[in-house]
Amino acid sequence: MEHEKRAELATFLKNVPPVEFCCVYGSSLHPNNKDKSAMVDYILGVSDPMQWHSEITQVADKIGVGVHFNPFVTWNDKMLKYGVVRMHDLVQDILSWERFYFSGRLQKPVHILVDNLDIENLNSVNLRAAMSAALLLLPSNFTQEDLFAKVCSLSYMGDLRMLFAEDKNKVKLDDILNKTVTKIVQGQFDLFQLMYKPFLQEYQAKDFLRFSSSGNRLVSQDCSLPITSSLVSSLPAAIRSQMGMKLGERNIMNRSGQVINEVMISSREEAAKCMQKVLRRTVMISSARQAVSGLLAAGGVSAARYIAKKVHKAWKSWT
């Protein structure tokens, strides 16, 4: 990100209490975005959200997924939305995918403005797991665009907003073989490459992946059961546990001598289908809880305005 743009976005933080982590995201940051009035989205990580919004945070914790979003904030002639989350909840979701809310957001490019606890480094666990999940859902041959689009689709599977009020170009939920680059990847392909390059190299070194030498971004993957098991083992414990309940699991000893549970896999298709169901259910529950929390916390007028904006965006996409 350009230094001037970064500085402009960071000035908002001077007008709010100190934060432990801050990133900005959304379509307004895409290089090819021409709508200067688009809302800028912030995620703010704090030690104690109670100091921010005592009553609203209680709603977010008890009903939602631990984050309160305040949309339509006018500041410095700009419209923005910010979300406040407890740092413990942010870290837990990055590592475990128990709610698959913040982890899904951080699987896509964001611009980090504050990072006192080195969340960017911690997020590598999340990115590796996201790539493993995406590979399970992809065929033996695909492009890098397909891979990043599949990564993007993970956090939208089961999202209630997708049923009526999301931009249809953001994800292609059911078309695994679709090689059309989604809009979110088209605008940030270089950033996706930068984010996932270490894990692409890692999986290439392990012979999980092979890259075309022609420079056309074609990728092939080993779809054997041993590689499939390795990909599943890279998923967070919460996801593996739910898969184990459905497919069965066994105790094995890892290289360090610890006894761990391993999901029993009879085929790659079975593992992919099971993981997809688990993720879809997780996202559906989180999106439903967050929707109710947002309605209660933001109030009728703000909630209706936000939903109307989503519906209008979806309508423009479909027409």
Side-chain angles (χ1 to χ4, degrees), residues 184-219:
I184 195 171
V185 173
Q186 286 178 331
Q188 305 180 87
F189 180 81
D190 291 342
L191 293 178
F192 272 103
Q193 274 196 320
L194 185 63
M195 285 180 68
Y196 287 94
K197 182 178 179 180
F199 312 108
L200 290 170
Q201 293 176 335
E202 174 187 336
Y203 282 13
Q204 182 184 26
K206 292 180 177 179
D207 291 327
F208 288 15
L209 300 177
R210 293 175 294 277
F211 295 88
S212 171
S213 58
S214 61
N216 55 7
R217 299 175 181 171
L218 288 177
V219 187

Side-chain angles (χ1 to χ4, degrees), residues 31-242:
N32 57 354
N33 181 68
K34 305 301 181 183
D35 183 5
K36 301 304 180 183
S37 65
M39 187 183 301
V40 179
D41 299 300
Y42 288 75
I43 290 288
L44 309 179
V46 299
S47 298
D48 186 3
M50 297 296 286
Q51 297 177 2
W52 278 73
H53 305 290
S54 56
E55 296 182 5
I56 292 176
T57 301
Q58 289 180 36
V59 173
D61 284 343
K62 294 178 181 179
I63 300 176
V65 295
V67 60
H68 165 63
F69 282 101
N70 191 9
F72 305 110
V73 176
T74 302
W75 176 82
N76 200 23
D77 296 326
K78 292 184 179 296
M79 186 74 73
L80 58 87
K81 174 184 72 177
Y82 67 83
V84 183
V85 57
R86 184 177 288 106
M87 286 302 298
H88 175 269
D89 295 338
L90 175 64
V91 170
Q92 282 296 107
D93 197 47
I94 287 174
L95 296 178
S96 71
W97 290 11
E98 287 185 0
R99 290 170 170 171
F100 206 65
Y101 196 85
F102 312 111
S103 50
R105 179 61 259 171
L106 293 176
Q107 289 165 6
K108 309 173 187 69
V110 300
H111 297 292
I112 295 178
L113 304 177
V114 178
D115 193 8
N116 294 341
L117 299 184
D118 200 15
I119 297 299
E120 184 174 18
N121 183 56
L122 184 69
N123 194 47
S124 62
V125 176
N126 180 33
L127 298 183
R128 180 182 289 104
M131 195 173 79
S132 295
L135 289 173
L136 284 171
L137 298 174
L138 286 167
S140 57
N141 296 289
F142 54 91
T143 66
Q144 290 188 45
E145 287 88 348
D146 294 332
L147 174 61
F148 301 146
K150 190 58 66 178
V151 167
C152 287
S153 76
L154 298 176
S155 60
Y156 288 102
M157 291 190 296
D159 192 329
L160 296 182
R161 297 173 304 170
M162 294 299 300
L163 298 179
F164 70 97
E166 266 296 350
D167 185 338
K168 72 167 185 177
N169 291 319
K170 278 191 175 179
V171 291
K172 303 296 182 184
L173 292 175
D174 300 317
D175 190 0
I176 295 179
L177 299 178
N178 192 336
K179 295 186 177 181
T180 302
V181 179
T182 58
K183 188 169 66 176
I184 195 171
V185 173
Q186 286 178 331
Q188 305 180 87
F189 180 81
D190 291 342
L191 293 178
F192 272 103
Q193 274 196 320
L194 185 63
M195 285 180 68
Y196 287 94
K197 182 178 179 180
F199 312 108
L200 290 170
Q201 293 176 335
E202 174 187 336
Y203 282 13
Q204 182 184 26
K206 292 180 177 179
D207 291 327
F208 288 15
L209 300 177
R210 293 175 294 277
F211 295 88
S212 171
S213 58
S214 61
N216 55 7
R217 299 175 181 171
L218 288 177
V219 187
S220 61
Q221 65 169 325
D222 186 336
C223 294
S224 65
L225 275 184
I227 301 302
T228 299
S229 296
S230 294
L231 293 176
V232 170
S233 68
S234 296
L235 300 175
I239 304 301
R240 296 200 313 272
S241 176
Q242 293 184 63

